[in-house]
Amino acid sequence: MKQEASVPKRSITSIATRNTCAICVALREFQGDLLKSLRPDQCRNFCNTHGWMVANSAPADTAAAIFLGAIVNANWSSARCVSEQCDICTRMHREKEARLDEIAKQFRDARLHSWLRDYGVLCSRHGQETMTRLPESLRESVQEIMARAGGEIVEMLEDYLQRVKRGSHTGGGVLGRAAEFLVAQRGIES
Ligand SMILES: [Zn+2]
Ligand SMILES: [Zn+2]
């Protein structure tokens, strides 16, 4: 298989921010780059979600060729949104595995480990998946990361609720942060 022009990838630690799961961000970037440089032969079977993404984000000639290929093929049917059925879901799955391996390796490095524990963010799904790659002794840090993100939001919401009860409605931005947090918990994979 021809290697596609590779966009230099950012390492997980450079992606890690205080607000969003590093794996979700990495996957979102991967998907965006993949769609922008997509060739028709890389997307023969696709799920509904990725069909819409091709329509919105792939180069116009690629998108037209992909849809034409599907429409003229009497046997074509929409793939389920799982790897091995949808070509894009398959690529996303492989990228996720590679990124989870990357972050698990970094948890084993003492210096990166303490940095991740202090500053990393992982959604519940990717936190769980990272834990399955780690020995028992390192799993606690992942749980701390997941709990910290939730704890901060809970504190802000409780504080906001008290102020609302006292009649002050300032600081409603916290509601947006909470909604964002819940979306991030669900992650990029639906
Ligand atoms: Zn995530
Ligand atoms: Zn898909």
Side-chain angles (χ1 to χ4, degrees):
M1 197 172 91
K2 186 174 162 276
Q3 285 289 312
E4 54 263 21
S6 57
V7 186
K9 263 190 225 169
R10 297 202 287 151
S11 72
I12 277 293
T13 36
S14 80
I15 288 169
T17 69
R18 280 191 82 80
N19 297 317
T20 324
C21 165
I23 303 282
C24 283
V25 174
L27 289 178
R28 210 168 286 138
E29 287 184 0
F30 174 79
Q31 184 167 257
D33 290 340
L34 177 63
L35 287 166
K36 268 187 259 154
S37 62
L38 197 65
R39 296 192 317 264
D41 64 321
Q42 292 174 317
C43 184
R44 291 209 169 87
N45 299 301
F46 49 92
C47 64
N48 289 340
T49 303
H50 283 123
W52 282 111
M53 287 189 192
V54 164
N56 290 328
S57 308
D61 54 342
T62 299
I66 288 171
F67 293 147
L68 197 58
I71 290 164
V72 299
N73 178 354
N75 295 321
W76 189 89
S77 66
S78 174
R80 284 203 303 127
C81 196
V82 290
S83 70
E84 306 309 330
Q85 293 207 18
C86 163
D87 294 335
I88 309 273
C89 284
T90 302
R91 299 280 296 271
M92 292 288 288
H93 181 73
R94 267 190 243 140
E95 178 67 11
K96 181 178 80 170
E97 297 291 306
R99 290 305 204 164
L100 287 170
D101 287 345
E102 185 186 344
I103 204 162
K105 200 171 143 209
Q106 290 174 341
F107 267 104
R108 289 187 169 86
D109 174 304
R111 195 176 53 87
L112 288 172
H113 176 184
S114 66
W115 189 86
L116 281 167
R117 200 188 49 217
D118 293 342
Y119 300 107
V121 178
L122 285 170
C123 68
S124 53
R125 176 196 297 238
H126 294 136
Q128 296 293 345
E129 288 177 327
T130 301
M131 278 199 277
T132 63
R133 285 166 158 77
L134 292 173
E136 192 67 44
S137 58
L138 293 175
R139 288 185 192 164
E140 212 171 286
S141 300
V142 180
Q143 274 166 336
E144 271 174 37
I145 288 175
M146 294 193 293
R148 187 190 58 221
E152 280 172 8
I153 297 283
V154 167
E155 257 175 49
M156 286 190 323
L157 275 174
E158 283 174 347
D159 186 53
Y160 177 66
L161 197 55
Q162 290 309 315
R163 274 183 286 134
V164 170
K165 281 182 184 160
R166 290 196 301 268
S168 159
H169 286 259
T170 54
V174 68
L175 296 178
R177 289 260 327 253
E180 223 168 65
F181 172 79
L182 289 170
V183 171
Q185 287 306 97
R186 204 193 61 200
I188 187 171
E189 305 157 82
S190 46

